[in-house]
Amino acid sequence: MTGRSRGPASGAAVLQLKSAGNELFRHGQFGQAAERYSQAISLLTQTGSKCPEDLSVLYSNRAACYLKIGNCSECIKDCTVSLEFVPFMLKPLLRRAAAYETLEQYSRAYVDYNTAVQVDCSVQAAQDGMNRMRKYLIDKDGSSWREKLPPVPSVPLSAQQRWGPSAPRNTGEETCMPQNAGDTGSNKSQQAKSLKEEGNVLVRKGEHRKAVDKYSASLKLDNKECTTYTNRALCHLQLKQYPEAVQDCTAALALDPNNVKAFYRRAVARKELKDYTGSVTDLQEMLKRDPTNSSGQRLLQEVQMLLK
């Protein structure tokens, strides 16, 4: 590197700050982790770094912190900067998509999920997200929903990953080679059900983090099971992972628009994220379907007080 590039001392300091941020993130200390990443970004910028990949990763990591604490606007800003340094990076695409989805900016979320699928069609979260967004947009805009989308970028071949030799040419279409093609549908369904039951057992034991892993594994095999999303949302609430709870409840409602548990749990998560208007809307929708639900009535009164 040249004279303005980071030297050994500053490079070591950046790595130390990044490592500290990673460790804090693993322990759920997202605010402190964001501070460490900010310090690393500042130091790297001051040294005139010639390594856009380093800055891209740091901004993406800080975006993950913002997403965890519900600061979706800052998450979107950091992901956008990260992608300016290194276009078509998978993690910032997925994080920005999740933030857009939480803010109910579904067309923008669709574009990012679609782009992520073009980058790597084996990422189930990207495919699931794109399918959810498509359903919302069809419900909202009907058959003309595609015409109202922002431009969907075409990912160059150099940025595409994990395409097998027989995979279709990646043109941005919403199709992908099926994963685990040798598995029959009934086997996958049974495996998904077993994993879900294992998650239920862990919930009863209070082991919510382990339960999330089981539900996530189940959804990779069967992403059409509504109760798996609502069960995982319950775990996210217990773990104070409110944006994730919102996403899971939204996915559940895409499959079952009358799901009372999904409305209630999303209302709880939105209240904790200080999205009081969204919380009230969810509770009102819930009570239309279950007018005598006392938990919903109490929470609605509580959130309405916060709006005053």
Side-chain angles (χ1 to χ4, degrees):
M1 293 192 178
T2 61
R4 289 197 64 220
S5 301
R6 71 184 190 203
S10 59
V14 168
L15 288 174
Q16 187 174 16
L17 287 165
K18 178 186 174 186
S19 297
N22 293 348
E23 188 66 20
L24 288 164
F25 188 93
R26 279 193 289 271
H27 287 84
Q29 296 173 279
F30 305 121
Q32 293 180 44
E35 291 177 7
R36 297 297 185 278
Y37 295 136
S38 296
Q39 292 168 2
I41 289 168
S42 178
L43 181 57
L44 205 54
T45 303
Q46 289 171 11
T47 60
S49 171
K50 303 293 185 182
C51 295
E53 293 84 0
D54 292 348
L55 284 166
S56 180
V57 169
L58 288 168
Y59 276 103
S60 178
N61 287 3
R62 190 171 69 176
C65 298
Y66 288 142
L67 186 61
K68 287 290 188 182
I69 62 180
N71 192 342
C72 293
S73 297
E74 290 303 314
C75 172
I76 289 167
K77 288 179 184 177
D78 271 7
C79 289
T80 301
V81 174
S82 175
L83 290 164
E84 287 172 355
F85 282 114
V86 181
F88 306 116
M89 281 267 287
L90 197 57
K91 287 184 177 179
L93 277 171
L94 290 171
R95 288 163 184 167
R96 189 170 67 179
Y100 279 139
E101 183 175 355
T102 301
L103 294 174
E104 298 185 359
Q105 296 182 28
Y106 298 135
S107 59
R108 292 182 176 182
Y110 176 88
V111 169
D112 278 349
Y113 282 129
N114 182 294
T115 306
V117 168
Q118 291 185 64
V119 172
D120 186 348
C121 78
S122 72
V123 177
Q124 191 66 42
Q127 295 191 50
D128 291 347
M130 190 171 68
N131 291 334
R132 285 195 308 274
M133 297 309 101
R134 186 191 303 113
K135 186 178 188 308
Y136 300 144
L137 292 168
I138 291 172
D139 290 344
K140 176 175 176 285
D141 298 321
S143 59
S144 63
W145 68 277
R146 287 182 181 276
E147 299 169 11
K148 300 181 180 181
L149 284 175
V152 178
S154 179
V155 178
L157 288 172
S158 59
Q160 295 173 23
Q161 303 172 29
R162 300 185 191 172
W163 285 87
S166 61
R169 183 179 176 85
N170 189 354
T171 60
E173 293 295 319
E174 294 165 19
T175 58
C176 184
M177 289 292 287
Q179 302 299 308
N180 302 320
D183 293 337
T184 66
S186 59
N187 285 343
K188 291 178 71 174
S189 178
Q190 188 57 46
Q191 291 171 27
K193 185 176 179 180
S194 297
L195 287 163
K196 177 187 169 187
E197 290 304 320
E198 290 176 28
N200 294 346
V201 171
L202 289 165
V203 168
R204 289 193 285 272
K205 293 179 179 179
E207 298 181 47
H208 295 100
R209 199 174 298 278
K210 291 181 180 179
V212 165
D213 293 337
K214 294 295 182 181
Y215 292 138
S216 297
S218 176
L219 286 167
K220 286 182 179 179
L221 297 170
D222 180 6
N223 61 5
K224 303 299 182 185
E225 179 55 51
C226 181
T227 56
T228 311
Y229 284 107
T230 55
N231 289 0
R232 190 171 67 175
L234 175 63
C235 296
H236 286 315
L237 288 174
Q238 294 295 324
L239 296 167
K240 302 188 187 306
Q241 297 170 344
Y242 302 120
E244 288 87 345
V246 169
Q247 290 172 37
D248 274 356
C249 291
T250 302
L253 288 166
L255 296 167
D256 177 8
N258 295 310
N259 192 290
V260 170
K261 285 183 179 179
F263 276 120
Y264 181 77
R265 290 170 185 172
R266 191 168 69 174
V268 172
R270 284 177 163 171
K271 171 180 172 286
E272 295 300 328
L273 293 169
K274 296 183 170 55
D275 178 10
Y276 302 131
T277 301
S279 182
V280 166
T281 299
D282 280 343
L283 290 165
Q284 289 172 338
E285 290 296 322
M286 171 195 170
L287 291 169
K288 284 180 187 177
R289 294 157 175 81
D290 186 5
T292 62
N293 190 299
S294 57
S295 297
Q297 291 169 349
R298 285 194 299 271
L299 184 58
L300 179 59
Q301 291 176 353
E302 181 182 338
V303 180
Q304 284 175 330
M305 290 294 292
L306 293 170
L307 277 170
K308 293 180 179 179

